Amino acid sequence: MEKLYADVIIDIAHEKLDRPFQYRIPESMRDTLEEGQCVSVPFGAGNKLRKGYVVAVRNTPDWDVEKIKDIAGPAPQGVSIEEKQIRLAAFLKRNYGSTMIQAMKTVLPARQSVRPLEKKSVRLLQDEEQAFKTMEICLKKHQTAKARLLRELLEFASLPYPLVTGKLHISPSTIKALEQQGIVAVEKESRYRNPVRLKVRQDERKTLSREQALIVDTVLKDFDSGSRDVYLLHGITGSGKTEVYVCLIEEILKRGRQAIVLIPEIALTYQTLIRFYSRFGEQVSVLNSSLSMGEKYDQCQRAKNGEIQVIIGPRSALFTPFPNIGLIVIDEEHEGSYKSENSPKYHARETAEEVARLHGASLVLGSATPSLEAYYRAMRGEYRLFTLKERLTGGSLPAVSVVDMREELRQGNRSIFSRKLQELMADRLEKKQQIMLFLNRRGYAGFISCRACGHVMKCPHCDVSLSEHRGGRLICHYCGYEEPAVRVCPQCGSRYISGFRAGTQQIEEKLKELYPEASVLRMDADTTKSKDGYERILSAFSAGEADVLIGTQMIVKGHDFPNVTLVGVLAADLSLSAGDYRAGERTFSLLTQAVGRAGRGSLPGEAVIQTYQPEHYSVVHAAAQDYEGFYEEEILYRELLRYPPVCNMMAVQIFAAGEERGKELAEKLAELAESYGNEEKEMSKRLLVIGPAPAAIGKLYDIFRFVFYVKYEKYDKLVEIKDALEERAALLFSAKETLQIDFNPVNVF
Ligand code: ADP
Ligand code: ZN
Ligand code: ZN
């Protein structure tokens, strides 16, 4: 075929331009032009030069040749896109609804070529004995950063510079000071060295437990026989999942393939990274949001050239342009951060299945509290389920007490701490053991509950909690149901009915009133504003610099604190009432993780869960650390109300400048959706349209927001409806009005 014409997607994200435009390929480019290449083309009436990507090459034109313009040339600094990535972009566009250019940008982590960067590492110049002495001197002088770096260098003689300044948060000036003293050297190399261990440890290669070996063997046997599957590893923290990933990666690399490991950004700690660095050295690279465009580009180039074989990072690491991926791992697969908040609103798990299909790779998911989606698929035989039951580091699961806060009120205790928790806190402070207080504020959306009986104001149609709006009106964000403000509890008549308003700061104050001598660290949005604020607080607590750590959901992930023997969960049910169908799942997961924080070391742990709904199944099963029990009840609820994963659900949001206009557009589109497929005879299989209703944030920057939901069993049908809605919107909507679609949303709108 002669390469004469090219279809080009222009780099402008507008629905009206969301199609390829055809260009003539100039003589000079005919031999070299390929699909995916980034080119410069004249566009529009003014023939302004625009960047675009070639998505198809043809030898006959589809248009009047007179009207076809010439490609101007390769785009300066343009990065071309691999064929598999184009197919992946098409998948994103089709399944999640976005323009092709948005989808292409999503799969291209670095869109501009930049000069490759130098790799630097920090190497210890002193021998072990000297370095140990230096560290002790630093400690005496309270030079904690220097001491911390030396402690790590005593283990690994050489460490990648970005790991030191990033995850260890040692400032460049500290490194420079040590360099000037002749204690360390900063070396520039063309690539990272393997972090070299000073002491060769006996336990470096662990013998896998029977359970672990079974998983590794099964996945590899399948792989070698050509069958590709999805495997779900269900195991508590410390049960050896990471060890399984590492072994699998080693084997996959031996087979000449590459591996992608997704870990939520919050869990990308120094401890985790060093484990991969020390096993894979220069073959591994880490992606995270703080990398510059240059660094991202550099990594993509190294992945393409085969200089690295393993990448670790949050969801966007999925798009690393490896030539031949053999394994994808998603750790903590239940995490909400695997769902993109920007268009295309893809889910990393589903997208990973597609990447695995494109490359012929195996997919391994791991979690202590699997998402309902993953577990449901495992129960239906779509995923292979493995359960890791033991904690390999020793330490026992904590003893959990559930405290009924209604009873506390009845007994005259108005404090935010129950008597049980106060008693245990006093004991731990006395013993100099550490305490974590976790305030569950996840998804907090102004719901109303009764402190006397625990009753929560809910929508009679959707079984989610109602949200308090100005003047006290209560509104359901799914269907728009509304009722007036409540003064007394409809269940028990008590006047103690209101929203929960305590924050981490108040908890800190109350704690200081009770125990003035206790030292307290607080972690919330305020104290973690600065870069690294999060890790700094965690490592201070880890180093024993405080007795108590107070925080929101941020503190339940990542780090291990061996000296923590008491975890207090305040307001466990706050997240239960978050006004969306995933509230129970999220609560179970958070409570399980929080409780699991106690007793990681040699000392046994205890946990206290304070709640107004002690009988709720999420609380009961979390206290018993019983995932299966929780799953059975939760899936019944999803079946009954036809929520995902039993059904598929599409959220359709409409943004408009006028309230009436927005409502009208939403109603028109909802009607169109409704006109689709009610031919199903069985009620339980029919297409359901819920709403439209004002969104949770009904008005933002003077733009009114409406939302409706479409539930249907078959995903493909929803995609078909999405296409129809988009088509209709293109006709009805003015330039300032927008439509946004989200499949199986993680958050409520
Ligand atoms: P998870 O990823 O499930 O939290 P890890 O793989 O991190 O679990 O394992 C927890 C701890 O147990 C780690 O310190 C790890 O080094 C250790 N470990 C894992 N597998 C084994 C094994 N087969 N033998 C001994 N120790 C192990
Ligand atoms: Zn009540
Ligand atoms: Zn409702």
Side-chain angles (χ1 to χ4, degrees):
M1 182 188 84
E2 237 189 316
K3 295 181 187 170
L4 295 177
Y5 301 95
D7 292 348
V8 176
I9 294 276
I10 312 290
D11 190 355
I12 304 173
H14 195 290
E15 285 103 50
K16 297 213 160 106
L17 303 177
D18 189 26
R19 61 175 179 88
F21 289 81
Q22 209 161 64
Y23 286 88
R24 191 178 297 103
I25 304 173
E27 198 106 31
S28 61
M29 291 179 82
R30 281 192 195 148
D31 293 336
T32 53
L33 189 93
E34 283 179 351
E35 282 179 17
Q37 191 168 332
C38 188
V39 291
S40 193
V41 292
F43 190 76
N47 280 330
K48 193 168 172 228
L49 285 185
R50 290 282 191 173
K51 206 161 78 173
Y53 297 92
V54 175
V55 289
V57 178
R58 337 181 157 270
N59 59 0
T60 52
D62 299 331
W63 307 85
D64 181 358
V65 285
E66 298 287 298
K67 291 201 181 130
I68 297 184
K69 302 173 190 173
D70 278 23
I71 292 178
Q77 291 191 320
V79 178
S80 64
I81 176 169
E82 316 292 291
E83 191 221 329
K84 277 179 191 143
Q85 305 292 86
I86 296 180
R87 282 161 63 190
L88 193 55
F91 166 87
L92 293 178
K93 174 183 157 62
R94 186 172 64 249
N95 283 280
Y96 300 102
S98 77
T99 60
M100 187 62 186
I101 195 70
Q102 279 173 321
M104 288 172 97
K105 286 183 165 175
T106 304
V107 303
L108 257 189
R111 287 180 293 282
Q112 245 185 12
S113 68
V114 205
R115 202 169 48 82
L117 299 166
E118 261 171 345
K119 300 284 158 277
K120 289 197 283 188
S121 43
V122 181
R123 191 164 65 85
L124 184 62
L125 293 176
Q126 297 183 322
D127 67 25
E128 208 182 316
E129 205 178 321
Q130 269 178 320
F132 194 80
K133 277 192 197 131
T134 317
M135 181 179 81
E136 301 226 291
I137 294 165
C138 290
L139 277 176
K140 263 193 210 117
K141 292 195 201 154
H142 296 286
Q143 299 172 331
T144 52
K146 280 187 185 174
R148 194 165 61 237
L149 176 57
L150 285 166
R151 193 173 60 213
E152 294 308 322
L153 287 172
L154 272 166
E155 180 121 5
F156 296 96
S158 167
L159 288 167
Y161 191 89
L163 188 68
V164 174
T165 52
K167 293 289 163 189
L168 268 184
H169 45 87
I170 309 260
S171 69
S173 58
T174 304
I175 301 174
K176 186 152 238 161
L178 285 169
E179 202 180 3
Q180 278 161 356
Q181 288 172 270
I183 298 166
V184 304
V186 175
E187 296 178 336
K188 295 186 175 129
E189 338 171 36
S190 62
R191 44 160 84 176
Y192 293 134
R193 282 214 216 147
N194 202 333
V196 190
R197 272 210 195 268
L198 265 186
K199 298 166 265 185
V200 179
R201 290 228 213 117
Q202 293 286 306
D203 62 357
E204 194 68 286
R205 281 273 139 65
K206 295 177 178 83
T207 321
L208 293 183
S209 70
R210 269 221 345 263
E211 287 175 322
Q212 288 173 315
L214 174 71
I215 302 170
V216 172
D217 291 347
T218 310
V219 176
L220 288 176
K221 210 182 271 164
D222 287 355
F223 188 90
D224 290 335
S225 69
S227 98
R228 300 292 183 269
D229 228 327
V230 183
Y231 309 85
L232 174 61
L233 271 55
H234 174 210
I236 55 168
T237 312
S239 62
K241 296 185 296 296
T242 309
E243 201 59 35
V244 169
Y245 308 151
V246 170
C247 286
L248 280 172
I249 295 167
E250 275 177 346
E251 292 296 325
I252 289 296
L253 298 193
K254 279 187 203 152
R255 287 157 176 76
R257 310 282 292 267
Q258 302 87 41
I260 294 175
V261 183
L262 301 188
I263 296 180
E265 183 121 26
I266 208 160
L268 277 174
T269 57
Y270 178 79
Q271 280 87 348
T272 308
L273 292 184
I274 200 72
R275 216 157 142 194
F276 283 90
Y277 271 120
S278 65
R279 282 296 248 279
F280 300 108
E282 64 200 24
Q283 291 176 299
V284 64
S285 192
V286 176
L287 195 78
N288 61 55
S289 58
S290 65
L291 292 187
S292 67
M293 191 57 101
E295 288 167 315
K296 282 184 190 163
Y297 173 75
D298 208 39
Q299 285 196 330
C300 289
Q301 287 310 106
R302 296 203 292 145
K304 276 191 202 174
N305 304 338
E307 284 176 51
I308 54 170
Q309 270 76 40
V310 185
I311 191 114
I312 305 173
R315 66 171 188 256
S316 59
L318 198 51
F319 304 116
T320 307
F322 281 128
N324 199 1
I325 300 164
L327 178 71
I328 303 170
V329 172
I330 305 185
D331 193 31
E332 316 260 2
E333 72 64 44
H334 62 276
E335 273 289 310
S337 61
Y338 284 126
K339 172 103 179 169
S340 170
E341 280 148 25
N342 305 317
S343 184
K345 296 183 174 176
Y346 69 91
H347 197 293
R349 186 179 347 96
E350 297 157 359
T351 309
E353 286 188 40
E354 182 66 15
V355 176
R357 228 186 329 269
L358 286 169
H359 286 257
S362 303
L363 174 58
V364 174
L365 312 173
S367 175
T369 53
S371 64
L372 262 265
E373 277 77 6
Y375 209 77
Y376 181 68
R377 295 200 174 115
M379 290 296 109
R380 297 184 2 142
E382 293 165 35
Y383 294 173
R384 301 272 299 271
L385 177 67
F386 292 99
T387 311
L388 290 165
K389 296 205 180 65
E390 289 157 52
R391 197 175 252 186
L392 294 167
T393 39
S396 47
L397 288 175
V400 184
S401 341
V402 176
V403 177
D404 185 345
M405 292 306 279
R406 298 168 299 188
E407 190 55 34
E408 293 290 310
L409 187 68
R410 242 170 265 143
Q411 304 274 335
N413 178 15
R414 301 242 180 111
S415 156
I416 46 176
F417 304 118
S418 62
R419 289 158 303 166
K420 174 85 183 175
L421 185 57
Q422 290 186 25
E423 181 191 308
L424 291 177
M425 284 198 293
D427 173 71
R428 297 314 194 266
L429 288 171
E430 172 118 346
K431 288 182 183 151
K432 291 273 163 223
Q433 294 171 3
Q434 286 180 302
I435 302 167
M436 283 171 89
L437 292 180
F438 165 54
L439 175 65
N440 187 1
R441 276 179 77 85
R442 178 71 196 240
Y444 170 67
F447 74 96
I448 300 294
S449 69
C450 171
R451 286 179 65 187
C453 78
H455 178 73
V456 175
M457 299 299 293
K458 284 189 172 180
C459 171
H461 311 294
C462 305
D463 200 34
V464 299
S465 55
L466 295 168
S467 299
E468 189 179 24
H469 280 230
R470 224 174 302 132
R473 281 183 313 140
L474 300 177
I475 297 182
C476 168
H477 291 310
Y478 279 103
C479 72
Y481 169 85
E482 209 181 301
E483 53 180 74
V486 284
R487 304 268 171 258
V488 295
C489 174
Q491 186 103 333
C492 73
S494 159
R495 290 183 176 280
Y496 285 110
I497 186 159
S498 67
F500 184 95
R501 294 191 172 82
T504 42
Q505 212 165 340
Q506 276 155 288
I507 293 173
E508 184 177 1
E509 282 159 21
K510 294 278 185 295
L511 192 76
K512 290 214 158 126
E513 278 169 28
L514 275 175
Y515 314 103
E517 73 290 357
S519 60
V520 179
L521 279 167
R522 176 165 61 89
M523 176 135 78
D524 54 26
D526 289 337
T527 57
T528 54
K529 258 188 208 126
S530 70
K531 193 167 172 268
D532 299 327
Y534 168 74
E535 293 218 25
R536 203 168 303 137
I537 293 172
L538 288 183
S539 48
F541 188 60
S542 181
E545 288 168 31
D547 304 313
V548 187
L549 176 63
I550 302 173
T552 52
Q553 52 276 4
M554 291 187 246
I555 66 171
V556 303
K557 329 222 153 169
H559 279 237
D560 245 357
F561 304 108
N563 199 31
V564 170
T565 58
L566 175 63
V567 169
V569 181
L570 308 175
D573 32 273
L574 262 192
S575 63
L576 272 181
S577 310
D580 81 295
Y581 72 93
R582 286 183 204 264
E585 176 178 358
R586 222 172 258 149
T587 302
F588 174 80
S589 170
L590 280 171
L591 293 185
T592 309
Q593 289 177 59
V595 163
R597 294 261 126 214
R600 283 287 172 80
S602 48
L603 301 165
E606 264 181 279
V608 177
I609 298 179
Q610 297 189 169
T611 173
Y612 292 97
Q613 299 177 61
E615 67 290 337
H616 192 286
Y617 64 90
S618 290
V619 176
V620 172
H621 293 304
Q625 308 263 298
D626 173 15
Y627 179 84
E628 285 85 1
F630 164 74
Y631 174 82
E632 271 166 33
E633 297 207 37
E634 180 68 15
I635 203 75
L636 278 182
Y637 157 71
R638 305 279 177 105
E639 270 164 5
L640 207 62
L641 286 146
R642 300 183 64 205
Y643 282 123
V646 177
C647 212
N648 283 296
M649 181 160 115
M650 174 167 80
V652 182
Q653 283 182 279
I654 290 99
F655 301 149
E659 189 167 12
E660 277 309 307
R661 169 77 179 159
K663 196 165 172 223
E664 180 198 321
L665 288 174
E667 275 164 4
K668 277 192 178 142
L669 292 185
E671 232 167 75
L672 175 65
E674 201 133 348
S675 74
Y676 270 77
N678 266 332
E679 62 271 17
E680 287 283 357
K681 290 202 184 56
E682 266 179 77
M683 257 325 260
S684 68
K685 292 208 164 146
R686 285 204 183 171
L687 182 115
L688 269 182
V689 176
I690 302 154
I697 302 172
K699 186 177 165 192
L700 195 67
Y701 303 118
D702 286 327
I703 298 292
F704 290 86
R705 307 159 136 217
F706 291 85
V707 61
F708 66 90
Y709 294 87
V710 187
K711 291 189 203 172
Y712 195 64
E713 222 174 301
K714 297 195 186 81
Y715 196 96
D716 290 350
K717 183 83 170 189
L718 290 180
V719 170
E720 199 183 305
I721 298 173
K722 176 208 78 179
D723 291 341
L725 291 175
E726 280 174 345
E727 211 168 289
R728 180 68 57 91
L731 295 173
L732 288 178
F733 284 39
S734 74
K736 284 199 185 123
E737 293 159 351
T738 48
L739 172 71
Q740 267 195 25
I741 289 177
D742 192 353
F743 285 88
N744 296 329
V746 166
N747 294 310
V748 257
F749 297 109

